[in-house]
Amino acid sequence: MSTLSFHDVRVRYGSHTVLDDVSLEVTDGQTVGLVGESGCGKSTLARAAVGLAPLTGGQILLDGRPVPNRGRRPVQMVFQDPYSSLDPRMTVGESLAEAMPERLGRTARQAEIARLLALVHLDAARAADLPGRLSGGQRQRVALARALAARPQVILADEITSALDVSVQGAVLNLIRDMRRDLGLSMLFISHNLAVVRYVADHVAVLHNGRIVEFGPTAQVLGAPRHDYTRHLLAALPGAVPLKEQT
Amino acid sequence: MRAARVLLRPVGFAGFGLLTLVLLAAAFAPVLWGGRAAAVDTGNLLAGPSAEHWIGTDNLGRDLFARVLVAARLSIVLAVAATAISLVLGILLGAAPMLLGRRLGRLVTSAVNVLVAFPGLLLVLFFAVVFGVGARGAALAVGVAGAPAFARLCHTLMAAVSERDYVAAARIAGVSRIRVLLRHVLPNVAEPLIVNATMAAGGVLLTFAGLSFLGLGVQAPSYDWGKLMQDGLNGIYVHPLAALGPGIAVVLAGLAFNLTGEAFAAAFGLGDQPGRAHSMEEPREPVAATPAVPRTVLSVEGLRVTIPGPAGPIRAVRGVTFAVSEGEAVGVVGESGSGKSLTALAVAGLIEPPVRVEAGHLVVAGEDLMAAGAHRRLGTSLAIVFQDPMTSFNPAHRVGPQLAEVSRFHQRMGRKAALARAVDRLRAVRIREPERRARQYPFEFSGGMRQRAMIGMGLMGDPRLIVADEPTTALDVTVQRQVLELLAEVRRDTGAALLLISHDVSVVTDVCDRVLVMYAGLVVEELPSKDLRTLARHPYTRALVAAVPDMDTDLSRPLAVIPGLPADPVHVPAGCAFAPRCPLADDHCRAVAPALVAGVACHKSTEVPV
Ligand SMILES: Nc1ncnc2c1ncn2[C@@H]1O[C@H](COP(=O)(O)OP(=O)(O)OP(=O)(O)O)[C@@H](O)[C@H]1O
Ligand code: SF4
Ligand SMILES: [Mg+2]
């Protein structure tokens, strides 16, 4: 695994600056959580790293070299909506095979598909299923397996549990932690849910109005926040301040 | 399976039957009746209908019926060829933005838009002149003239598909643009394209007949239906069938294509689909009427909501009983599909046939919704807030007048007074500059503001109960906090009760006094919200609480997960619906459904260690 670093990244749509000189490092084998309210540019940052959003300024480097934005990217992304992230007409196996870096023979391909499905705790028999037969959580696991199929150096996970039911979310979060432990994955984990980020991330970056306002080890940022905005986010959590008395 | 579905409906049957006949004629008529159609009979020129010549003969004495049949091949081949040209050109032009990159693509798209604006017939005539008179020229002309419409259709369909994340994922995985187009985009737009092409072929057939009729299309000695019509026109007064016969053939063939297209559309689930076979065989079990619990603003007993579905009735809510006292806040939690929203909709009186609502009683603010016409009178004693207020506001109307509408309808207020109240209510839900905001459209509001406006709409009346279905799910924590605070404040000021539906256990415990936990259409546990995390007795409730990480979750252990999938509401298991996923389940659980006794529906609630 490798280090993905954002240097003074700036993204503008027309006159609207979405990201303003964002610098952030996802170091080897670490999971970095990115939190912030909706519209603050979290997805844009991830999309810029895989060439889906145009950079207006700055650089995104993988081990010191620019991330290629053509061909198979060494940085892979998993998306938020489980119902839009898999082609409804391709079987699970076909979706995985498409993302594999080299063309394999039939048996080697089957073996690789089975290996990937096992990594995300799915039965190899699922390879023949169309996405329509999978639950939301299963789809997200297939999407994760597809990202792994490309043998990436870094994975960007954009709100991958927010469309899932709570009972399924837990399974996906456990999986993310297992994968970091077993595969040493580097990951940028985007979520607006602080409790979820606290559970999976080693470091947390807080994005506000297109700028990183706080960055540090998870326990420190969420336990002893230094920036006002981080404190504001934490105070907004249900149960943080009793609602009934406060109003 | 789909083919069967197409054939089973009358439109599909008629369309396919007709199309088969037309295609059979196109394939075999020239072989079978080619000789007869060409046989000159000088003794029988321009004869009328007879037993031998069903619709008469032409100026050389050739049998017209045979000629109409034989002309089917050329007519159909030309129509199909022209449609194919339109389709291929359309796909190429429509895919241009994907293949050529943004700037060139935009150029192509605007050119297409300009061409679509031209009258179709004008284009056909223009290209017919360009490509020259004759069958081939006409086919090219009709095909090219039809391309812009297909290009626009393809462009729209493809744009929708390319937005999907799997296309982005394929690009990131290094799949080339052409392969993305072939593997991901085209297969996913194929169905609507096929439907449109089939219908277009019917139209093209007519255009062709028109061109040949004008002498621009097929030239003698070849003939298609249009040419036959032209030939027959001279004698139309003495011998109308000579012109009408081929005309009828055109109409029938056109109809065959159109009906088939319609049937495809219905089978693929495009457009409206009348009479889809949904079953609801289940007999109505009579529900005994029961009186409401006194001093409640909401009292429900034995609420059942059943939806007709293709695989049998979906029993989404299977007998829910609860009550909400004046001013109380009650939460409903559960996974998606557990029946939370349908319960809320039933309480709001918003469920309409064919979905069926049954209950012993369903009394909201003193009004029994099971009585006929009741929800009319419910009027302003109930306020409703949904997850996505964008869908609850009419996007085409300004926010202020939409709020005012409520008072004008229910309280018979004048326009001025109602609008003034709307502005006042927007202010009450803390929307800044309410006068200006009232004149804006819903899309100009942020998600949180729309949600406030929705609450404001509920406050136009004098609600005694607020039903809020996932009011903050689409919002992030800070805005969620503001909306929840607003709800709490509104309740304090108005004394309204609250029924809050959420999948987020922490939101519900934060806001509500009491919680109902739903699973597979039933309330499985009912308890004070302060006890939810610590004193829950039902295995499902305990699993649900343990599965959600909070700011105190133990980081050294994996999160608890609930194995298996939620119960399928079409095939709810006989005994306890949670049994397939429950670690404590035994044969008794699988056979006998537990009733809700003393706040919990579980045979082993006493055995669960607390
Ligand atoms: N293609 C685009 N054109 C114009 N504006 C855009 C585009 N993509 C994103 N934006 C704007 O950029 C801002 C940030 O968007 P982004 O999706 O990155 O936010 P986010 O933090 O991921 O939000 P959420 O949590 O809701 O997913 C938003 O204000 C959005 O309107
Ligand atoms: S009744 Fe049986 S299966 Fe159902 S929740 Fe209780 S223990 Fe589990
Ligand atoms: Mg986002």
Side-chain angles (χ1 to χ4, degrees), chain A residues 175-187:
Chain A
L175 174 66
I176 295 284
R177 297 215 325 175
D178 291 353
M179 289 199 319
R180 195 203 48 184
R181 191 190 57 220
D182 303 340
L183 310 178
L185 275 185
S186 318
M187 179 176 301

Side-chain angles (χ1 to χ4, degrees), chain B residues 13-29:
Chain B
F13 191 74
F16 259 105
L18 217 48
L19 193 62
T20 312
L21 286 183
V22 170
L23 292 180
L24 282 178
F28 298 111

Side-chain angles (χ1 to χ4, degrees), chain B residues 408-485:
Chain B
R408 294 188 62 195
F409 182 73
H410 287 295
Q411 292 149 304
R412 312 244 164 258
M413 265 191 202
R415 173 194 288 267
K416 271 260 177 59
L419 201 59
R421 182 160 174 84
V423 170
D424 177 66
R425 298 289 85 183
L426 287 177
R427 186 176 295 118
V429 293
R430 302 247 194 82
I431 285 182
R432 260 177 271 167
E433 302 180 77
E435 288 87 358
R436 186 171 69 83
R437 290 293 183 176
R439 284 193 300 272
Q440 288 187 331
Y441 289 93
F443 68 84
E444 295 176 80
F445 279 42
S446 73
M449 262 161 50
R450 278 201 293 270
Q451 211 52 305
R452 286 153 183 273
M454 192 70 210
I455 297 174
M457 187 186 278
L459 294 182
M460 290 301 287
D462 184 16
R464 291 175 58 206
L465 174 66
I466 302 171
V467 177
D469 186 0
E470 305 270 7
T472 60
T473 302
L475 309 173
D476 54 67
V477 271
T478 41
V479 188
Q480 162 172 303
R481 178 83 191 181
Q482 293 161 6
V483 170
L484 293 180
E485 275 168 8

Side-chain angles (χ1 to χ4, degrees), chain B residues 54-79:
Chain B
W54 288 2
I55 57 173
T57 61
D58 68 357
N59 53 1
L60 289 176
R62 294 174 293 200
D63 179 55
L64 273 175
F65 188 64
R67 286 175 76 77
V68 168
L69 289 177
V70 171
R73 179 181 287 180
L74 189 57
S75 306
I76 300 295
V77 165
L78 286 176

Side-chain angles (χ1 to χ4, degrees), chain B residues 196 201 300 411:
Chain B
N196 272 282
V300 187
Q411 292 149 304

